Amino acid sequence: MYKIVTTKPFEGQKPGTSGLRKKTKLFMSPHYLENFIQSTFNAIGGVDGKRFVLGGDGRFFGVEAAQTILKMAAANGAKEVILGQNALLSTPAASHLIRINKTDGGIIMSASHNPGGVEEDFGVKFNAENGGPANESITNRIFEQTKVLAEYRISDAVDIELSKIAKINLDGMIVNVIDSVSDYADLMAQIFDFTAIKRLFASGFSMRFDAMNAITGPYAKEILEKRLGASKGTVVHGAPLPDFGGMHPDPNPTWAHEFWDELMSADAPDFGAASDGDGDRNMVLGKNTYITPSDSLAILTEHALKIPAYTKGLNGVARSMPTGSAVDHVAKSLGIECYETPTGWKFFGNLLDAGRVSLCGEESFGTGSDHIREKDGLWAVLFWLNILAVSKKSVSEILQEHWARFGRTYFSRHDFEDLPSDKADAMIADLSSRMSGMKGASLNDLIIKTAEEFSFLDPVDGTTSNNQGFRVIFENDARIVARLSGTGTSDATLRLYLELYDKENIKLDTQQALEPIILAAHELLNLKKFIGKVRPDVIT
């Protein structure tokens, strides 16, 4: 049986965003989670007779949220929910389950790389039937529903057992509790040459994988240690914890500093990788060698023919606009199309579904391919391992050879966090008012060739996405991109993306090479005037 609960409109996700991220205590407050779930159900035309996937990254409140979502799905007439055991699923694994089971979509409980715990963040997003984040049409409908919602439906059944693999009847709806790891691990074995990677580990190759006490731990242990023969202990921080053990599960040099220090030490392992809260991001390092996400995407593209799943070649590649253009040079050499999209994985979905691209990536440590419709941290790590196994070269050697062939795209992101929203908005408004008159002007002695607010015309469905960040391109093709991030739960974060391409000088320090661009960016945004600081909180 179910009950209808009277409620009222609430402040949900912003239009165009792929999910809702707020403080955990807000999600725990009366009606908040329920309102968002019912708004989602209403926005997709109801769920009567439909099938869904459900799981999350294991953060605090995930189990309780899963029970609520299941009861609401049952009360709204859903036929089946495929649930990861203990309500656990990495985002890539959830995408895969949606696709192989041909469900009507999925609900993923995660705030991605944001901290977890009762005082930290929680999130929910809907993925469509292709396995990817809901497009703007759906997310805008969800937002409109939040403004008019008057009631929600929820079963009054008792909580069900989530820890045992079984099929459970919940008020006429089947809850199919499955192994969270096995299907995804099997998929990876179909894509990569596991035999070659096994030989690599058997040869004495050493690796460290830092799961950051997040969802990827069980997947990494199953694949790396059990199936590929990496030594026991290769995976560290491998148990998903509700608060991620106090760690900030964002794989970058700032938050993964313990892992970073180990890979930069004298006795570093041959290879290292870290993943984030929900398993869709990756940072890869060699011994004393850092690989930027932009370079990683370019190198995966360059060496794709070494991977069993891509031996027939790539259809094309895509990168988000703020991402460094290293992959552009590789795509040109291969004679394939390279698309530039706004930030947000949903923008890759149409290109992937249409078969126009095989690989795609973002500068925020996200890389993926057409095997699912999400970025995929472990997939990228296994791609690198496969390249290393076949080439029999070190990470450093592969990187140096890539730069020697294609030139080096110096790239860095500077984050200014926890900015008062009013000051950040005023800074962006001021920048917007000046963009149209910047062509030909000088910033730190660099002449501006193009200054614009980026808009994207989808080549598949013809839709346009405006207001996707500001970019300035100089006559030497150096770039500055500025945008406010939408992934936080409070205040604002300014992200500055800085890029310089150099064909000759490929061994400079990144920040040193970018110094003229950094100074130009500070002048462009009047940082001192608007936010009172010029030192970023995070440099990646």
Side-chain angles (χ1 to χ4, degrees):
M1 299 294 293
Y2 67 85
K3 56 185 177 181
I4 299 176
V5 180
T6 301
T7 187
K8 58 184 179 180
F10 75 112
E11 181 186 351
Q13 71 188 89
K14 297 179 181 178
T17 55
S18 61
L20 180 65
R21 295 182 194 174
K22 298 288 184 180
K23 290 299 179 184
T24 302
K25 285 184 176 179
L26 182 57
F27 269 102
M28 295 171 68
S29 64
H31 309 303
Y32 193 84
L33 172 65
E34 292 89 340
N35 284 351
F36 182 70
I37 296 302
Q38 190 67 58
S39 295
T40 301
F41 288 167
N42 294 349
I44 61 174
V47 300
D48 190 38
K50 295 181 179 179
R51 301 167 59 245
F52 298 95
V53 167
L54 174 64
D57 59 17
R59 67 180 60 228
F60 188 87
F61 188 58
V63 170
E64 295 85 351
Q67 296 282 4
T68 295
I69 295 168
L70 289 169
K71 292 174 185 178
M72 292 188 67
N76 279 271
K79 179 180 180 180
E80 180 187 17
V81 173
I82 300 170
L83 178 76
Q85 189 177 14
N86 294 309
L88 298 176
L89 277 178
S90 74
T91 291
S95 179
H96 177 52
L97 286 173
I98 292 168
R99 293 173 64 79
I100 63 170
N101 290 287
K102 295 180 171 59
T103 71
D104 297 284
I107 297 173
I108 299 174
M109 303 174 295
S110 173
S112 188
H113 54 290
N114 291 14
V118 67
E119 300 295 336
E120 297 296 347
D121 301 338
F122 192 78
V124 179
K125 73 171 183 174
F126 179 74
N127 275 32
E129 59 187 10
N130 72 342
N135 61 32
E136 287 188 324
S137 173
I138 295 174
T139 58
N140 288 341
R141 292 202 301 270
I142 294 173
F143 176 70
E144 292 302 318
Q145 281 293 316
T146 67
K147 297 192 295 184
V148 300
L149 188 70
E151 63 183 32
Y152 62 82
R153 294 185 176 194
I154 187 166
S155 168
D156 54 11
V158 298
D159 288 353
I160 64 172
E161 176 61 61
L162 305 184
S163 64
K164 296 180 180 178
I165 296 174
K167 290 187 177 182
I168 304 167
N169 188 307
L170 175 62
D171 270 357
M173 181 186 78
I174 298 301
V175 180
N176 186 4
V177 184
I178 66 165
D179 184 318
S180 302
V181 174
S182 59
D183 284 322
Y184 175 83
D186 291 344
L187 174 65
M188 294 299 103
Q190 296 168 21
I191 294 173
F192 300 105
D193 187 346
F194 272 26
T195 299
I197 301 174
K198 283 180 184 178
R199 287 198 296 266
L200 179 69
F201 281 119
S203 72
F205 181 85
S206 58
M207 176 183 176
R208 181 73 69 245
F209 183 93
D210 193 336
M212 304 189 82
N213 291 321
I215 190 62
T216 318
Y219 296 86
K221 286 184 177 180
E222 170 66 25
I223 296 172
L224 296 175
E225 295 185 7
K226 293 183 181 180
R227 298 198 183 194
L228 294 175
S231 60
K232 187 175 181 180
T234 291
V235 179
V236 297
H237 300 128
L241 299 176
D243 65 348
F244 304 121
M247 300 181 77
H248 187 148
D250 191 353
N252 63 52
T254 298
W255 297 120
H257 55 84
E258 176 185 320
F259 164 73
W260 174 276
D261 290 344
E262 181 180 6
L263 267 293
M264 296 299 159
S265 66
D267 56 351
D270 298 307
F271 181 66
S275 192
D276 72 328
D278 67 333
D280 63 358
R281 301 186 183 210
N282 73 93
M283 178 172 68
V284 292
L285 301 175
K287 183 181 295 187
N288 304 121
T289 305
Y290 170 58
I291 310 294
T292 69
S294 303
D295 277 341
S296 184
L297 175 61
I299 289 170
L300 300 190
T301 302
E302 178 188 1
H303 294 274
L305 293 179
K306 295 182 172 69
I307 308 302
Y310 310 109
T311 53
K312 294 182 180 180
L314 303 177
N315 297 331
V317 293
R319 62 170 175 83
S320 65
M321 182 272 289
T323 300
S325 58
V327 72
D328 299 39
H329 305 291
V330 180
K332 183 178 180 180
S333 75
L334 295 174
I336 59 176
E337 193 71 41
C338 182
Y339 296 89
E340 185 181 46
T341 74
T343 297
W345 208 260
K346 61 180 178 287
F347 291 104
F348 294 134
N350 278 356
L351 295 169
L352 290 165
D353 287 345
R356 295 200 181 194
V357 302
S358 302
L359 303 183
C360 42
E362 295 182 330
E363 54 72 35
S364 55
F365 296 88
T367 327
S369 84
D370 53 7
H371 69 292
I372 56 173
R373 294 299 180 266
E374 288 276 6
K375 46 187 175 282
D376 191 344
L378 256 179
W379 166 90
V381 173
L382 291 167
F383 204 130
W384 266 96
L385 285 170
N386 205 151
I387 292 172
L388 294 169
V390 173
S391 68
K392 296 180 173 56
K393 295 176 181 176
S394 69
V395 172
S396 178
E397 288 171 331
I398 289 172
L399 182 63
Q400 294 296 328
E401 289 178 2
H402 174 80
W403 289 341
R405 179 180 177 187
F406 295 102
R408 182 174 179 183
T409 301
Y410 290 97
F411 181 84
S412 184
R413 189 181 89 190
H414 289 195
D415 289 355
F416 297 82
E417 298 180 333
D418 299 320
L419 303 178
S421 294
D422 57 343
K423 292 184 178 181
D425 290 341
M427 177 177 60
I428 293 300
D430 175 74
L431 176 62
S432 178
S433 70
R434 294 184 284 114
M435 290 297 283
S436 61
M438 284 187 179
K439 183 177 181 180
S442 173
L443 285 174
N444 193 37
D445 296 327
L446 298 170
I447 305 301
I448 296 174
K449 179 170 65 175
T450 303
E452 62 182 1
E453 188 168 10
F454 181 62
S455 294
F456 175 65
L457 176 64
D458 193 304
V460 179
D461 63 18
T463 58
T464 300
S465 298
N466 297 314
N467 307 316
Q468 296 297 325
F470 298 90
R471 66 176 175 182
V472 171
I473 303 174
F474 298 98
E475 288 186 347
N476 65 349
D477 289 330
R479 290 198 313 160
I480 297 169
V481 174
R483 57 185 292 268
L484 295 181
S485 171
T487 60
T489 58
S490 62
D491 297 321
T493 295
L494 169 68
R495 301 200 194 282
L496 279 182
Y497 309 86
L498 310 151
E499 178 180 342
L500 174 67
Y501 175 71
D502 197 321
K503 183 70 175 175
E504 304 298 330
N505 303 301
I506 63 172
K507 294 186 178 182
L508 299 177
D509 172 77
T510 296
Q511 302 306 315
Q512 178 185 11
L514 290 172
E515 185 175 1
I517 316 302
I518 294 170
L519 293 175
H522 290 187
E523 182 180 342
L524 172 71
L525 282 120
N526 291 319
L527 289 185
K528 190 73 173 178
K529 171 185 173 182
F530 283 101
I531 65 175
K533 64 179 182 180
V534 294
R535 289 184 60 85
D537 298 286
V538 179
I539 295 177
T540 52

